Amino acid sequence: MQTTNNKKQKTCILILGMHRSGTSALAGSLSMLGYEIGNNIIPGDERNKKGYFENDNINKFNEHLLDELNAKWHDTLFLPESFRNQDWYNEQEIGLRNLIISEFDEDADILIKDPRISVLFPLYLKVLKQLDYQIKVIIAYRTPV
């Protein structure tokens, strides 16, 4: 997509999905197509030898945010009302915006994968729009059965 000044609009793909649903394989494939994952990537381990293709700093930011809200990424409950506290929320917006700016090249098409974003999606949507990203969401689904 072109903007009015003929500069290519940056894209951010958000991959949402539960663990063991193929999100890492999807993120790995998209990274091979040129989508940037950032500077600090979680390495593979015995559970996922090829790697998670997930940014460690974004993961830590999300985990900290949910801890402050006394929530977990796998909660099925709504976030507490304190999530909407204007001063606190504005601080989180600034933190996320600064994190994205520091982790990714300014003009790169990027990819963010973390199951916590399923819960924090409104915050990501707002910040990514402020940073002028075209946002695409991929939801990886694995039957719980």
Side-chain angles (χ1 to χ4, degrees):
M1 174 183 277
Q2 298 291 321
T3 59
T4 55
N5 62 3
N6 284 336
K7 184 178 177 185
K8 179 185 169 289
Q9 184 173 13
K10 340 175 254 196
T11 297
C12 175
I13 296 177
L14 294 174
I15 297 179
L16 310 179
M18 64 184 273
H19 64 284
R20 308 304 303 162
S21 64
T23 57
S24 296
L26 181 57
S29 297
L30 289 168
S31 74
M32 288 182 203
L33 293 174
Y35 286 90
E36 195 176 293
I37 303 173
N39 298 319
N40 198 354
I41 310 306
I42 298 173
D45 59 19
E46 65 281 348
R47 287 181 280 153
N48 198 338
K49 295 196 185 314
K50 292 184 180 180
Y52 292 91
F53 299 94
E54 197 168 306
N55 187 293
D56 193 37
N57 289 333
I58 288 177
N59 178 283
K60 287 176 182 170
F61 174 86
N62 292 340
E63 191 65 33
H64 175 73
L65 188 69
L66 290 175
D67 281 346
E68 284 193 22
L69 295 167
N70 198 27
K72 297 292 179 202
W73 70 268
H74 51 78
D75 286 346
T76 57
L77 304 173
F78 293 104
L79 289 175
E81 193 59 37
S82 59
F83 185 67
R84 296 172 195 4
N85 174 297
Q86 194 63 40
D87 292 336
W88 183 86
Y89 192 82
N90 288 342
E91 288 177 25
Q92 305 318 310
E93 279 183 35
I94 292 167
L96 180 57
R97 186 171 33 255
N98 290 339
L99 178 58
I100 290 171
I101 289 168
S102 71
E103 282 296 316
F104 300 98
D105 291 336
E106 182 179 359
D107 295 321
D109 289 331
I110 67 173
L111 161 65
I112 302 176
K113 176 196 118 37
D114 183 355
R116 292 153 194 84
I117 297 171
S118 298
V119 178
L120 301 171
F121 184 73
L123 176 65
Y124 274 81
L125 185 63
K126 185 172 184 181
V127 169
L128 290 166
K129 282 183 177 181
Q130 290 171 353
L131 292 171
D132 199 30
Y133 281 97
Q134 178 184 20
I135 302 160
K136 297 183 178 189
V137 177
I138 300 174
I139 300 173
Y141 175 76
R142 179 188 103 191
T143 178
V145 182

